[in-house]
Amino acid sequence: GESVGLHLPTLSVQEGDNSIINCAYSNSASDYFIWYKQESGKGPQFIIDIRSNMDKRQGQRVTVLLNKTVKHLSLQIAATQPGDSAVYFCAEIGETSGSRLTFGEGTQLTVNP
Amino acid sequence: DAGVTQSPTHLIKTRGQQVTLRCSPKSGHDTVSWYQQALGQGPQFIFQYYEEEERQRGNFPDRFSGHQFPNYSSELNVNALLLGDSALYLCASSVQGSETQYFGPGTRLLVL
């Protein structure tokens, strides 16, 4: 079936390094993607979104890249800080899914001081 | 500007009981979606309410029901609780027509 998934379940980086979190999706009809950050005991926090008619979008310290050819999404975090430690989820909305979000399983990012 | 709020924060129930969870959307938002998040998993869509009606539903049994009030707040009801219903229940609010959903802190439900 259609799904959104992640390549790696965990990622460990040094403070100050750049982080790259990857996500693969299988629904070719997906037209809207969101990255969420979820800290322990909290709800998912919106980070950045991108539509399927875009390849790249930048926010504050974060960049999302979309490669529709290989159905791949990535989140880049510049100068990673200890406060960035969390689980990161990609989620998508397809043309036929209304406004329901389909989430992947998440990547645990750990930032080492 | 208050974000999405949920109550209670934690809840313990026994099998067969019923539970009601509550959600107040972000100011200005009129659409509420509910998600179930099992430990170590991504959230799974339960249903969405807009204009006091269920607009979309995920793959959840009829034991899961909801309601939306005129002030846009919402309730999630789960009947005949099973051990497998233990999870974090998340409420997300949005403006109808916009895909961006903002989540509350969730209600942690434990079924014993």
Side-chain angles (χ1 to χ4, degrees):
Chain A
E2 297 167 344
S3 65
V4 177
L6 297 168
H7 293 305
L8 297 173
T10 62
L11 177 64
S12 184
V13 300
Q14 292 298 122
E15 182 178 359
D17 286 353
N18 296 332
S19 302
I20 299 176
I21 301 172
N22 296 303
C23 177
Y25 64 95
S26 58
N27 182 3
S28 59
S30 297
D31 60 1
Y32 180 68
F33 303 87
I34 308 174
W35 280 101
Y36 285 95
K37 170 187 179 184
Q38 188 172 26
E39 297 174 276
S40 181
K42 297 183 179 180
Q45 175 188 355
F46 174 91
I47 301 174
I48 191 168
D49 58 0
I50 188 168
R51 294 197 175 277
S52 59
N53 62 353
M54 303 172 68
D55 297 322
K56 178 180 179 179
R57 191 165 188 215
Q58 287 184 294
Q60 187 175 20
R61 281 203 306 120
V62 295
T63 300
V64 55
L65 299 177
L66 176 62
N67 185 330
K68 295 179 288 294
T69 303
V70 296
K71 299 178 188 173
H72 183 268
L73 191 70
S74 68
L75 176 70
Q76 300 178 0
I77 304 174
T80 314
Q81 303 168 0
D84 294 327
S85 293
V87 177
Y88 289 81
F89 292 97
C90 65
E92 60 93 8
I93 292 178
E95 290 179 350
T96 59
S97 61
S99 55
R100 69 174 68 181
L101 290 168
T102 299
F103 283 81
E105 290 186 344
T107 292
Q108 173 71 58
L109 174 66
T110 301
V111 181
N112 302 308
Chain B
D1 178 23
V4 180
T5 60
Q6 293 186 243
S7 64
T9 56
H10 296 82
L11 204 52
I12 300 175
K13 292 285 187 179
T14 57
R15 282 179 298 173
Q17 285 189 313
Q18 179 264 344
V19 68
T20 298
L21 310 181
R22 296 175 177 81
C23 170
S24 291
K26 186 178 170 67
S27 178
H29 288 189
D30 56 10
T31 301
V32 173
S33 301
W34 286 92
Y35 293 81
Q36 180 195 66
Q37 186 176 23
L39 198 61
Q41 303 291 320
Q44 298 290 316
F45 176 79
I46 303 175
F47 44 52
Q48 182 182 85
Y49 277 83
Y50 170 64
E51 290 187 330
E52 302 179 49
E53 291 186 7
E54 182 182 294
R55 299 291 178 167
Q56 284 188 274
R57 190 177 183 91
N59 188 27
F60 280 81
D62 293 345
R63 298 187 297 110
F64 290 77
S65 63
H67 188 78
Q68 186 180 34
F69 299 94
N71 68 352
Y72 308 119
S73 66
S74 177
E75 288 182 349
L76 165 65
N77 300 292
V78 187
N79 295 321
L81 285 166
L82 303 174
L83 296 180
D85 294 332
S86 296
L88 179 67
Y89 288 85
L90 294 161
C91 168
S93 76
S94 58
V95 176
Q96 186 64 22
S98 170
E99 297 97 336
T100 307
Q101 296 180 26
Y102 295 88
F103 284 83
T107 294
R108 175 75 62 186
L109 173 64
L110 177 61
V111 182
L112 301 176

Coordinates of all heavy atoms in Angstrom, one line a residue, chain B residues 18-50:
Chain B
Q18 N -15.1 3.2 28.9 CA -15.3 4.2 27.9 C -14.5 5.5 28.3 O -14.3 5.7 29.5 CB -16.7 4.6 27.7 CG -17.0 5.7 26.7 CD -17.2 7.1 27.3 OE1 -17.3 7.2 28.5 NE2 -17.1 8.1 26.5
V19 N -14.0 6.2 27.3 CA -13.2 7.4 27.6 C -13.6 8.5 26.7 O -14.0 8.3 25.5 CB -11.7 7.1 27.5 CG1 -11.3 6.8 26.0 CG2 -10.8 8.2 28.1
T20 N -13.5 9.8 27.2 CA -13.7 11.0 26.4 C -12.5 11.9 26.5 O -12.1 12.2 27.6 CB -15.0 11.7 26.8 OG1 -16.1 10.9 26.7 CG2 -15.2 13.0 26.0
L21 N -11.9 12.2 25.4 CA -10.8 13.2 25.3 C -11.3 14.5 24.7 O -12.1 14.4 23.8 CB -9.7 12.5 24.5 CG -9.3 11.1 24.9 CD1 -8.1 10.7 24.0 CD2 -8.9 11.0 26.4
R22 N -10.7 15.6 25.1 CA -11.1 16.9 24.7 C -10.0 17.7 24.0 O -8.8 17.5 24.4 CB -11.7 17.6 25.8 CG -13.0 17.0 26.4 CD -13.5 17.7 27.6 NE -14.8 17.0 28.0 CZ -14.8 15.9 28.8 NH1 -13.7 15.3 29.2 NH2 -16.0 15.4 29.1
C23 N -10.4 18.5 23.1 CA -9.5 19.3 22.3 C -10.1 20.7 22.0 O -11.2 20.8 21.6 CB -9.1 18.6 21.0 SG -8.2 19.6 19.8
S24 N -9.2 21.7 22.2 CA -9.6 23.1 21.8 C -8.6 23.5 20.7 O -7.4 23.5 21.0 CB -9.6 24.1 23.0 OG -10.6 23.8 23.9
P25 N -9.2 23.9 19.6 CA -8.2 24.2 18.5 C -7.6 25.6 18.7 O -7.9 26.4 19.5 CB -9.2 24.3 17.3 CG -10.5 24.7 17.8 CD -10.6 24.0 19.2
K26 N -6.6 25.8 17.9 CA -5.9 27.1 17.9 C -6.8 28.2 17.4 O -7.8 27.9 16.7 CB -4.7 27.0 16.8 CG -3.8 28.1 16.7 CD -2.7 27.8 15.7 CE -1.8 29.0 15.4 NZ -1.0 29.4 16.5
S27 N -6.7 29.4 18.0 CA -7.5 30.5 17.7 C -7.6 30.7 16.2 O -6.6 30.8 15.5 CB -7.0 31.7 18.4 OG -7.9 32.8 18.1
G28 N -8.8 30.8 15.7 CA -9.0 31.1 14.2 C -9.1 29.8 13.4 O -9.4 29.9 12.2
H29 N -8.9 28.7 14.0 CA -9.0 27.4 13.3 C -10.4 26.8 13.4 O -11.0 26.9 14.5 CB -8.0 26.4 13.8 CG -6.6 26.7 13.3 ND1 -5.5 25.9 13.5 CD2 -6.1 27.8 12.7 CE1 -4.4 26.4 13.0 NE2 -4.7 27.6 12.6
D30 N -10.9 26.2 12.4 CA -12.2 25.6 12.4 C -12.3 24.1 12.2 O -13.4 23.6 12.2 CB -13.1 26.4 11.4 CG -12.5 26.3 10.0 OD1 -11.5 25.5 9.7 OD2 -13.0 27.0 9.1
T31 N -11.2 23.5 11.9 CA -11.1 22.1 11.6 C -10.3 21.3 12.6 O -9.2 21.8 13.0 CB -10.6 21.9 10.2 OG1 -11.4 22.6 9.3 CG2 -10.6 20.4 9.8
V32 N -10.8 20.2 13.1 CA -10.1 19.4 14.1 C -9.9 18.0 13.6 O -10.8 17.4 13.1 CB -10.8 19.4 15.4 CG1 -10.1 18.4 16.4 CG2 -10.8 20.8 16.0
S33 N -8.7 17.5 13.6 CA -8.4 16.1 13.3 C -7.8 15.4 14.5 O -7.1 16.0 15.3 CB -7.3 16.1 12.2 OG -7.8 16.8 11.0
W34 N -8.1 14.1 14.6 CA -7.6 13.3 15.7 C -6.7 12.2 15.1 O -7.0 11.6 14.1 CB -8.8 12.7 16.4 CG -9.5 13.6 17.3 CD1 -10.6 14.3 17.0 CD2 -9.3 13.9 18.7 NE1 -11.1 15.1 18.0 CE2 -10.3 14.9 19.1 CE3 -8.3 13.5 19.6 CZ2 -10.3 15.4 20.4 CZ3 -8.3 14.1 20.9 CH2 -9.3 15.0 21.3
Y35 N -5.6 12.0 15.9 CA -4.6 11.0 15.5 C -4.3 10.1 16.7 O -4.3 10.6 17.8 CB -3.3 11.6 15.0 CG -3.5 12.4 13.7 CD1 -4.0 13.7 13.7 CD2 -3.1 11.8 12.5 CE1 -4.1 14.3 12.5 CE2 -3.2 12.5 11.3 CZ -3.7 13.7 11.3 OH -3.8 14.4 10.1
Q36 N -4.0 8.9 16.4 CA -3.5 7.9 17.5 C -2.1 7.6 17.2 O -1.7 7.3 16.1 CB -4.3 6.6 17.4 CG -3.9 5.6 18.5 CD -4.4 4.2 18.2 OE1 -4.1 3.6 17.2 NE2 -5.3 3.7 19.0
Q37 N -1.2 7.8 18.3 CA 0.2 7.5 18.1 C 0.6 6.4 19.1 O 0.7 6.7 20.3 CB 1.0 8.8 18.3 CG 2.5 8.5 18.0 CD 3.3 9.8 18.1 OE1 2.9 10.8 18.8 NE2 4.5 9.9 17.4
A38 N 0.9 5.2 18.6 CA 1.4 4.2 19.4 C 2.9 4.4 19.7 O 3.6 5.2 18.9 CB 1.2 2.8 18.7
L39 N 3.4 3.9 20.7 CA 4.8 4.1 21.2 C 5.7 3.7 20.0 O 5.7 2.6 19.5 CB 5.1 3.3 22.4 CG 6.3 3.7 23.2 CD1 6.1 5.1 23.7 CD2 6.5 2.7 24.4
G40 N 6.6 4.6 19.7 CA 7.6 4.4 18.7 C 7.1 4.4 17.2 O 7.9 4.1 16.3
Q41 N 5.9 4.8 17.0 CA 5.3 4.9 15.7 C 4.9 6.3 15.3 O 4.8 7.2 16.2 CB 4.0 4.0 15.6 CG 4.3 2.6 16.0 CD 5.1 1.9 15.0 OE1 4.9 2.1 13.8 NE2 6.0 1.0 15.4
G42 N 4.6 6.6 14.1 CA 4.1 7.8 13.7 C 2.6 7.9 13.9 O 1.9 6.9 14.1
P43 N 2.0 9.1 14.0 CA 0.6 9.2 14.3 C -0.2 8.6 13.1 O 0.1 8.7 12.0 CB 0.4 10.7 14.3 CG 1.7 11.3 14.7 CD 2.7 10.4 14.0
Q44 N -1.4 8.0 13.5 CA -2.3 7.4 12.5 C -3.6 8.2 12.6 O -4.2 8.5 13.7 CB -2.6 6.0 12.9 CG -1.4 5.1 12.8 CD -0.9 4.9 11.4 OE1 -1.7 4.6 10.5 NE2 0.4 4.9 11.2
F45 N -4.1 8.6 11.4 CA -5.3 9.4 11.3 C -6.6 8.7 11.7 O -6.8 7.5 11.3 CB -5.5 9.9 9.9 CG -6.7 10.7 9.6 CD1 -6.8 12.0 9.9 CD2 -7.8 10.1 8.9 CE1 -7.9 12.8 9.6 CE2 -8.9 10.8 8.6 CZ -9.0 12.2 9.0
I46 N -7.3 9.3 12.6 CA -8.6 8.7 13.1 C -9.8 9.2 12.3 O -10.5 8.5 11.6 CB -8.8 8.8 14.6 CG1 -7.6 8.3 15.4 CG2 -10.1 8.2 15.0 CD1 -7.7 8.5 16.9
F47 N -10.0 10.5 12.5 CA -11.0 11.3 11.7 C -10.8 12.8 11.9 O -10.0 13.2 12.6 CB -12.4 10.9 12.2 CG -12.7 10.8 13.7 CD1 -12.4 11.8 14.5 CD2 -13.3 9.6 14.2 CE1 -12.6 11.7 15.9 CE2 -13.5 9.5 15.5 CZ -13.2 10.5 16.4
Q48 N -11.6 13.5 11.0 CA -11.6 14.9 11.0 C -13.0 15.5 11.1 O -13.9 15.0 10.5 CB -10.9 15.4 9.7 CG -10.7 16.9 9.6 CD -10.1 17.3 8.3 OE1 -10.8 17.5 7.3 NE2 -8.8 17.4 8.3
Y49 N -13.1 16.6 11.8 CA -14.4 17.3 12.0 C -14.3 18.7 11.5 O -13.3 19.4 11.7 CB -14.8 17.3 13.5 CG -15.5 16.0 13.9 CD1 -14.7 14.9 14.2 CD2 -16.9 15.9 13.8 CE1 -15.3 13.7 14.5 CE2 -17.5 14.7 14.2 CZ -16.7 13.6 14.5 OH -17.3 12.5 14.9
Y50 N -15.3 19.1 10.8 CA -15.5 20.4 10.3 C -17.0 20.7 10.2 O -17.8 19.9 9.8 CB -14.9 20.6 8.9 CG -15.2 21.9 8.2 CD1 -14.7 23.1 8.7 CD2 -15.9 21.9 7.0 CE1 -15.0 24.3 8.1 CE2 -16.2 23.1 6.4 CZ -15.7 24.3 6.9 OH -16.0 25.5 6.2

